[in-house]
Amino acid sequence: QVQLVESGGGLVQAGGSLRLSCATSGSTFSINFIGWYRQAPGKQRDLVTPINGGRTNYADSVKGRFTISRDYAKKTVYLQMNSLKPEDTAVYYCNFAEPGVRLADWGQGTHVTVAS
């Protein structure tokens, strides 16, 4: 019932920028408490940052470089990624981020590749 569609990924050089989008649908889905996740090949999927109201909690690895935002009218969540590093290479996903809350089905994610 909940649909998550990520987009905006691509191939960029180190130091470049990308803006990812997460379009959501489903009347029972709320983007009030949501987050971006990423998964590098062979590694676990980790939370990059949540957003809960105006509160965020960026992972140390992206702090100062990434910014999460949302548009309630469009039911869309964004991730502005600046000063990209090769270690940011991963598939990026959006989903619920409140601790203990059941996740929605994962979307396909969007691939981000950062070349050195």
Side-chain angles (χ1 to χ4, degrees):
Q1 188 170 0
V2 176
Q3 183 172 310
L4 305 168
V5 181
E6 300 91 349
S7 63
L11 173 64
V12 297
Q13 291 185 314
S17 298
L18 286 171
R19 190 186 71 149
L20 308 183
S21 298
C22 170
T24 72
S25 62
S27 60
T28 61
F29 188 89
S30 173
I31 63 170
N32 187 56
F33 202 154
I34 197 167
W36 282 96
Y37 300 75
R38 68 183 181 183
Q39 185 172 30
K43 298 183 178 180
Q44 67 180 29
R45 187 167 11 219
D46 292 325
L47 181 64
V48 177
T49 185
I51 184 166
N52 177 21
R55 299 176 181 178
T56 58
N57 187 20
Y58 294 94
D60 289 342
S61 58
V62 307
K63 193 174 299 181
R65 300 187 297 117
F66 291 10
T67 304
I68 188 171
S69 63
R70 60 190 163 200
D71 185 327
Y72 282 103
K74 296 181 178 180
K75 298 189 66 176
T76 300
V77 187
Y78 305 96
L79 185 67
Q80 180 66 45
M81 309 164 65
N82 298 325
S83 301
L84 283 162
K85 303 176 180 179
E87 51 262 44
D88 296 320
T89 296
V91 181
Y92 285 72
Y93 304 85
C94 58
N95 213 315
F96 294 114
E98 184 174 1
V101 173
R102 186 176 67 180
L103 295 169
D105 290 343
W106 296 99
Q108 294 298 307
T110 185
H111 288 72
V112 172
T113 302
V114 184
S116 61

